[in-house]
Amino acid sequence: MTSDPHTALKPEMDPASDETVHFWSLEDLEALEFDPFLQDRLREKRAARIRLPYGEGSAWLMARYADVKAATTDPRFSRQELVGKTITASSPHAIASQQASLNYADPPRLNDMRRVVARAFTGKSMQKLRPSVQRTVDSLLDGMEQQGAPADLVEHLHGPLPLAAVADLLGMPQDMRRDMTSWANVIMTPGPAPAKSTDALKTVRECVVELLAHRREHRSDDLAGVLVDAADAGEITEAEAVSLATAILVSGAHAVRNNSANMVFLLLTHPQHLARLRAEPDMIPQAVDELLRYIPHRSGVGLPRVATRDVEIGGVTVRAGETVYSSYLAANRDPEVFPNPDQLDFDRGPIAHMAFGNGPHHCVGSMLARMESELMVSTLIDRYPRLALAVPPERIEWQPGALIRGPKSLPVTW
């Protein structure tokens, strides 16, 4: 039985474990407000039992940094065991394919797939890609200026730039990129329109199949070429190649779109922080890391893991077969690791945040996402000394029902 995501329920007791089960409704929050449900979990000294709007049953939620780190690195917790299970979830359907998927794999198979993808995500390849991304940023802003102020930064920069960067990395021809950003947005906003989300994912996968077929005929050293070569050599299957390319394309186009827009919104509503970066541009990489820690970039939680045996963790006993979610957002606000965690502080220095996940499933595209964000922020700061929101902050519209939070538009003047 699937619960109604809009029905507010009080905590209930799980008769099997005698644990309180908290219903996490995942209602849309104001702007970048941190989820009060997670704040409450951080104040507790043990893991909590939760139920999410979709699916069945309940799960454990790890919120504190140490518990999240432990749960995401302990081999007794498995993603593979999720395949075919009906669990309590944030989404009405699985966003990533459960078959031949990086997201649902465990080591050592997970390591095999990551090694293949890592060939396209080296420091050297990022440096090679950086001038191209910078040229795209400059070209997009030239187009925005031609239109004139006020203009929507999401439309002119945050939407098209991440798609262009990940499509360039994949080696995707221009004619295949049409509507890709809008498809990614629909895929990652499944709550209001699950059927449309499923259809959009099918369309993107079909584009990826076409891309890999094209790359077999026209060999190259881009990511699509790497995946094709690995599939032909038997390192990964064809289905795994399609799944990997689809996941990287969708997450790369959508997550960076929203999180980079979130960063600029925060800077434009925190004038002292913006002034600091104008005065000290060398601090931008460090500031981007702090913005990544601070921004609650998603709603709810991502994929969980299943305990393959009984595990003592987070002050509770997780029984074999039980599901465990880990909140990277909550871990990034743990006061035991980040003093005054609810303050945006560019002087924290090097920080081991979990915005890109942790453990074997740490985001393979983190270097690209950082690079894109740094270039967008630095170029906007350098190019527009008077950059400002064109409307009061409270009039900014935010995407409803989205797994990845972000503004629908970001109107600015300069």
Side-chain angles (χ1 to χ4, degrees):
M1 179 178 177
T2 302
S3 59
D4 181 348
H6 301 291
T7 302
L9 298 177
K10 294 180 179 179
E12 56 191 37
M13 295 300 295
D14 178 2
S17 63
D18 200 30
E19 290 279 351
T20 300
V21 179
H22 303 271
F23 180 68
W24 191 2
S25 63
L26 303 186
E27 295 176 358
D28 291 327
L29 301 167
E30 290 292 326
L32 293 177
E33 175 190 0
F34 191 73
D35 195 326
F37 183 88
L38 292 178
Q39 289 280 23
D40 289 344
R41 305 290 76 77
L42 279 170
R43 282 191 281 268
E44 297 173 353
K45 297 299 182 184
R46 63 201 300 270
R49 179 82 78 165
I50 63 167
R51 183 154 63 89
L52 292 160
Y54 302 96
E56 299 175 355
S58 62
W60 290 104
L61 174 68
M62 302 296 157
R64 293 185 300 170
Y65 190 98
D67 297 336
V68 169
K69 186 175 182 179
T72 53
T73 54
D74 192 322
R76 293 174 293 180
F77 293 111
S78 165
R79 283 277 184 85
Q80 175 66 37
E81 291 296 318
L82 288 171
V83 176
K85 290 179 69 77
T86 301
I87 57 171
T88 188
S90 304
S91 167
H93 64 265
I95 299 300
S97 168
Q98 292 194 357
Q99 303 299 323
S101 171
L102 188 76
N103 291 305
Y104 288 90
D106 294 329
R109 189 59 189 153
L110 171 65
N111 301 339
D112 295 339
M113 286 190 276
R114 287 183 66 94
R115 270 194 295 270
V116 169
V117 175
R119 294 169 193 164
F121 282 101
T122 63
K124 183 178 180 180
S125 65
M126 291 302 102
Q127 286 302 315
K128 182 179 177 181
L129 188 62
R130 191 179 186 98
S132 172
V133 175
Q134 181 66 69
R135 286 193 296 271
T136 304
V137 171
D138 294 338
S139 176
L140 290 170
L141 293 178
D142 288 346
M144 184 179 77
E145 288 181 22
Q146 289 175 8
Q147 175 183 301
D152 177 11
L153 272 180
V154 172
E155 175 188 349
H156 289 280
L157 179 65
H158 300 294
L161 187 277
L163 172 61
V166 74
D168 286 348
L169 185 76
L170 276 163
M172 176 173 280
Q174 291 293 334
D175 60 345
M176 286 189 186
R177 305 182 188 193
R178 194 175 301 110
D179 298 324
M180 195 64 68
T181 299
S182 60
W183 288 332
N185 293 342
V186 172
I187 290 167
M188 299 301 290
T189 312
K196 288 184 178 179
S197 175
T198 301
D199 289 345
L201 181 57
K202 182 174 180 289
T203 299
V204 173
R205 287 179 66 85
E206 288 171 352
C207 287
V208 167
V209 170
E210 182 182 350
L211 170 63
L212 296 183
H214 172 78
R215 187 52 70 232
R216 276 199 170 85
E217 295 180 3
H218 307 277
R219 295 285 178 167
S220 178
D221 61 355
D222 50 40
L223 178 54
V226 167
L227 294 173
V228 165
D229 289 345
D232 290 350
E235 295 179 81
I236 58 176
T237 66
E238 188 69 16
E240 287 170 342
V242 172
S243 178
L244 287 166
T246 302
I248 290 167
L249 182 58
V250 171
S251 61
H254 186 75
V256 180
R257 168 195 188 271
N258 287 290
N259 223 20
S260 63
N262 290 336
M263 289 181 186
V264 173
F265 171 81
L266 271 177
L267 289 174
L268 294 180
T269 53
H270 288 69
Q272 290 182 325
H273 291 79
L274 179 58
R276 175 85 181 275
L277 295 187
R278 290 194 188 284
E280 302 176 58
D282 289 346
M283 179 175 264
I284 286 175
Q286 182 173 315
V288 164
D289 248 8
E290 169 66 356
L291 288 163
L292 286 166
R293 179 203 69 84
Y294 178 87
I295 291 170
H297 64 277
R298 68 165 298 129
S299 299
V301 277
L303 287 175
R305 292 164 175 80
V306 176
T308 57
R309 65 187 74 174
D310 291 359
V311 182
E312 299 289 335
I313 186 173
V316 301
T317 301
V318 177
R319 301 296 181 189
E322 290 186 329
T323 303
V324 174
Y325 281 99
S326 298
S327 173
Y328 297 124
L329 300 188
N332 283 343
R333 296 290 186 106
D334 187 341
E336 292 187 10
V337 179
F338 305 104
N340 300 314
D342 298 326
Q343 291 183 11
L344 186 62
D345 181 3
F346 291 163
D347 289 314
R348 289 188 192 275
I351 51 175
H353 65 71
M354 294 188 183
F356 293 115
N358 184 64
H361 284 276
H362 183 272
C363 176
V364 294
S366 60
M367 282 194 294
L368 177 60
R370 270 195 179 92
M371 184 249 284
E372 293 174 69
S373 297
E374 289 174 13
L375 289 179
M376 280 187 270
V377 169
S378 62
T379 304
L380 287 170
I381 286 175
D382 180 62
R383 188 161 174 164
Y384 303 115
R386 297 182 180 179
L387 187 68
L389 290 177
V391 298
E394 59 272 16
R395 286 182 55 194
I396 298 292
E397 288 189 67
W398 297 79
Q399 297 183 91
L403 297 180
I404 305 295
R405 294 170 63 179
K408 291 175 66 176
S409 63
L410 198 60
V412 296
T413 59
W414 57 89

